[in-house]
Amino acid sequence: MISAIIVAAGVGERVNSVVPKQYLPLMGKPVLAHTLDAFENCPAISEIVVVISPFHREIFLQEVMGRFSYKRVREFVFGGSTRQESVYQGLKVIKERGESQFVLIHDGVRPLISQNLLKRCIEGVREHQAVCSAVPCVDTLKFTRDGKTIEQTLDRTKIWRAQTPQAFEISLIWEAFQRAEEDGFAGTDDASLVERLGKPVYFVTGSEENLKITTPEDFLRAEEWLRWKDR
Ligand code: C5P
């Protein structure tokens, strides 16, 4: 069985809005509802655990669960003050039930996730136990220590930009989260917790379309992608 954790417990300070970005409308529908649609429509995924902030309980129930029907959303849980803590809360639910072999972890603010990418993640995790969606870097990358001058130009052929979904065999990601907790390690994604166990994490090819909604401009970009897909 394959579960999904959608983390949506962030407060979204960068979008300058009282309504957090995962609940703002994208083509008339909350960002998070677009994300949930993609997972709901993927037959290989048996259940979805949504991680929300306790402050957003009402808006989540009204604007997402109240307006749309999701058969695969099994539960919602409250997240923590960091993304890592939020994922951990979702993972605990899935681990305690002991029904799933794999989990896909995805940011609620990446609403343009495609069925093809979900499929690549599922095939990848079945084969490799740990996979990370990522795209190769097209920009030339500069390393700086002082934020003012360039210290080094990095070899961009060796740099990939990580996205979500990231997918893992349950016992492996559980071990990674427990070890991170014991060591007080804070990572910005889930793969980094597995990497520090010394276990391989394989890339699956992500997509430029799978953008993370961070700024108001990202809403415009996401709408353009959606219009382009509709044509
Ligand atoms: O913080 P960032 O913008 O990278 O957030 C990525 C995803 O993690 C978002 O969907 C956000 O709602 C979620 N998140 C969370 N709990 C937090 C912080 C972020 O679920 N404490």
Side-chain angles (χ1 to χ4, degrees):
M1 181 166 140
I2 302 175
S3 298
I5 296 172
I6 308 293
V7 277
V11 286
E13 291 147 359
R14 282 166 290 195
V15 172
N16 302 329
S17 164
V18 277
V19 179
K21 58 192 170 181
Q22 59 273 40
Y23 298 106
L24 287 174
L26 179 61
M27 307 281 267
K29 181 189 253 200
V31 167
L32 179 57
H34 285 274
T35 310
L36 290 175
D37 283 351
F39 284 77
E40 176 79 15
N41 293 329
C42 178
I45 293 169
S46 302
E47 62 165 14
I48 303 164
V49 174
V50 191
V51 186
I52 63 163
S53 160
F55 304 114
H56 305 155
R57 188 176 178 277
E58 292 310 314
I59 190 168
F60 172 70
L61 290 176
Q62 273 176 29
E63 294 300 317
V64 180
M65 299 308 286
R67 281 178 62 195
F68 308 96
S69 142
Y70 296 110
K71 290 193 198 74
R72 291 195 163 93
V73 174
R74 181 149 174 196
E75 198 163 327
F76 70 90
V77 293
F78 294 138
S81 58
T82 65
R83 184 188 180 282
Q84 187 172 319
E85 283 174 38
S86 296
V87 174
Y88 202 19
Q89 296 312 312
L91 212 48
K92 280 178 187 163
V93 171
I94 292 166
K95 170 75 180 160
E96 274 161 24
R97 285 205 198 109
E99 294 168 3
S100 291
Q101 195 185 354
F102 301 108
V103 63
L104 267 70
I105 304 170
H106 187 63
D107 293 332
V109 290
R110 289 187 189 270
L112 271 62
I113 168 78
S114 69
Q115 293 301 317
N116 280 340
L117 179 51
L118 286 174
K119 205 168 151 225
R120 288 199 288 279
C121 290
I122 290 165
E123 283 167 4
V125 75
R126 285 191 198 279
E127 186 178 353
H128 298 297
Q129 286 75 55
V131 293
C132 171
S133 307
V135 286
C137 214
V138 291
D139 295 318
T140 297
L141 293 168
K142 305 293 188 186
F143 179 80
T144 176
R145 222 178 285 265
D146 61 8
K148 293 179 192 150
T149 54
I150 298 167
E151 196 168 309
Q152 203 189 339
T153 301
L154 302 176
D155 179 359
R156 72 176 177 196
T157 61
K158 294 196 172 66
I159 310 276
W160 286 51
R161 288 187 289 122
Q163 302 182 332
T164 68
Q166 299 185 359
F168 308 92
E169 200 267 323
I170 293 282
S171 57
L172 175 60
I173 192 69
W174 182 250
E175 184 191 346
F177 267 79
Q178 290 209 303
R179 191 77 70 81
E181 193 181 37
E182 280 162 26
D183 300 345
F185 175 80
T188 51
D189 74 348
D190 311 299
S192 61
L193 275 55
V194 175
E195 291 158 37
R196 60 191 292 281
L197 298 181
K199 301 274 169 66
V201 182
Y202 286 73
F203 283 136
V204 297
T205 307
S207 88
E208 292 297 339
E209 174 191 339
N210 181 30
L211 56 94
K212 179 161 97 173
I213 303 247
T214 309
T215 63
E217 293 74 32
D218 292 333
F219 279 89
L220 298 174
R221 288 174 63 208
E223 283 186 7
E224 270 171 30
W225 275 110
L226 285 172
R227 278 201 202 98
W228 184 76
K229 269 207 304 201
D230 273 356
R231 277 196 309 172

